[in-house]
């Protein structure tokens, strides 16, 4: 019932166990008793009637405990029912007002109803009073329910409008964010395309001088005879040619190709790389099945990176040790090391760290070559500081 009270403001419906409070404007005591008689036991509430006889008493009654219903005679010696209704309507506009009178013309009765009076009952037909009271209370309760429902609908509409405004705001934010992401994606795509174009063009431009270098080295070998220096120069030129071809393949999104596997001495390969770059290498002879040119490319890449970041070949060395079913080669440096947050990304294509001096493809090529050999390549911290790149290559099976 509290909702009904809030909906009507001045009107408070009858609460369970509460009497129906009636303010009765009537100057005749007998008529008042007849009204009381016809209501007692005829309405579903205990009745509490306060009688007043004139305007002064009526106005005091309006200011007192708020009634649920007002009954009024139409013609009094110093006051009248229509004036009483207007006064009540100004103070308690939602409280039902019923005129109980001895005589009233039809035209007068219609005028009072037009004014807003709830109903009128003739004193000679008081049997109609109880049904009229019940109907008036039911109507005002229904009116309160409608007002409460309308109030709730307005509140729901307001809440819905607020939520729709918030949804629209979020949609606009999401749309702006999407536009920014699209711009960033286009910029990233353009940057990658430019990088691929640069690698492709650079690879093509390097092929011509490398081809000429191969020719000069072959002619020098024919004219001067074979020498270790010329053989080393030819091997380096072949590695450079292979690197250029790999760059071209990677710029096209292709994997490293042309792996030629056969028995080889990995220890000899590591000593050659160590001699070329001035780093200490293991002296063991380690037999595996692999591509010497491709594996040379791997270790040249790892050693040159290590020398560059550590600042000197003296801070870099190669280690190799057999393990069950494989050989592990370690390229150890005592440089600045690789941060933990960089380790998962260091083999990604085009990734460039702070010490990068290339296009970010060397480690990608190295990992692809090692993977093509059935091995693994990773990086861990060097005890005492630095980075250790571990290459694990499988040993040949008995049937091999």
């Amino acid at each position: 019932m509290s909702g009904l009270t809030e909906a009507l403001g001045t009107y408070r419906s009858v609460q369970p166990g509460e009497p129906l409070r009636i303010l009765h404007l009537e100057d005749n005591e007998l008529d008042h008793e007849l009204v009381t008689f016809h209501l007692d036991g005829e309405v579903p509430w205990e009745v509490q009637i306060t009688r007043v006889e004139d305007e002064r008493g009526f106005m005091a009654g309006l200011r007192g405990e708020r009634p649920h219903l007002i009954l009024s005679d139409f013609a009094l010696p110093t006051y009248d029912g229509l004036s009483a209704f207007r006064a009540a309507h100004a103070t308690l506009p939602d409280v039902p007002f019923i005129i109980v009178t001895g005589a009233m013309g039809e035209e007068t009765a219609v005028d009072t109803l037009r004014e807003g009076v709830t109903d009128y009952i003739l004193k000679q037909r008081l049997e109609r009073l109880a049904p009229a009271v019940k109907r008036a209370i039911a109507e005002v309760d229904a009116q309160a329910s409608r007002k409460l429902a309308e109030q709730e609908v307005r509140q729901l509409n307001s809440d819905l409008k607020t939520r729709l405004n918030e949804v629209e705001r979020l949609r606009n934010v999401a749309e702006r964010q999407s536009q920014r992401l699209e711009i960033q994606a286009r910029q990233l795509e353009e940057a990658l395309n430019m990088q691929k174009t640069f690698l492709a063009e650079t690879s093509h431009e390097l092929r011509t001088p490398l081809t000429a270098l191969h020719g000069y080295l072959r002619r020098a070998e024919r004219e001067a005879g074979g020498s270790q220096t010329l053989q080393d120069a030819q091997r380096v030129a072949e590695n450079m040619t292979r690197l250029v071809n790999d760059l071209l393949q990677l710029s096209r999104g292709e994997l490293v190709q042309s792996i030629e596997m056969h028995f080889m001495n990995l220890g000899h390969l590591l000593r050659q790389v160590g001699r070329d770059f001035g780093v200490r290498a293991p002296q063991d002879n380690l037999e595996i099945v692999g591509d010497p040119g491709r594996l040379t490319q791997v270790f040249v890449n790892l050693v040159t990176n290590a020398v560059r970041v550590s600042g000197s070949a003296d801070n870099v060395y190669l280690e190799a040790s057999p393990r069950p079913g494989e050989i592990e080669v370690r390229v150890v440096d005592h440089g600045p090391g690789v941060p933990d947050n960089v380790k998962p990304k260091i083999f990604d294509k085009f990734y460039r760290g702070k010490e990068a001096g290339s296009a970010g493809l060397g480690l990608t090529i190295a990992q692809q070559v090692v993977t093509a050999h059935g091995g693994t390549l990773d990086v861990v911290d060097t005890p005492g500081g630095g980075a250790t790149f571990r290459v694990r290559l499988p040993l040949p099976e008995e049937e091999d």
Side-chain angles (χ1 to χ4, degrees), residues 137-193:
I137 297 298
E139 287 177 356
V140 78
D141 282 346
Q143 182 183 6
S145 297
R146 285 194 302 274
K147 288 187 176 181
L148 179 61
E150 290 170 359
Q151 186 180 44
E152 291 176 347
V153 168
R154 285 193 297 270
Q155 185 62 45
L156 287 174
N157 287 336
S158 176
D159 292 345
L160 180 59
K161 184 177 180 180
T162 300
R163 293 183 182 182
L164 288 175
N165 290 337
E166 180 65 14
V167 169
E168 181 66 17
R169 186 187 69 80
L170 293 176
R171 187 189 68 79
N172 291 334
V173 170
E175 185 175 348
R176 291 193 296 270
Q177 184 67 17
S178 176
Q179 291 172 351
R180 285 195 294 268
L181 291 175
E182 288 177 3
I183 293 172
Q184 292 174 356
R186 285 197 300 270
Q187 292 173 341
L188 179 60
E189 184 178 5
E190 290 173 1
L192 288 175
N193 289 335

Side-chain angles (χ1 to χ4, degrees), residues 116 124 196 256 266 286 306 328 366 368:
Q124 56 269 32
K196 289 179 181 179
V256 172
L266 181 61
L286 307 168
E328 180 180 273
Q368 290 189 4

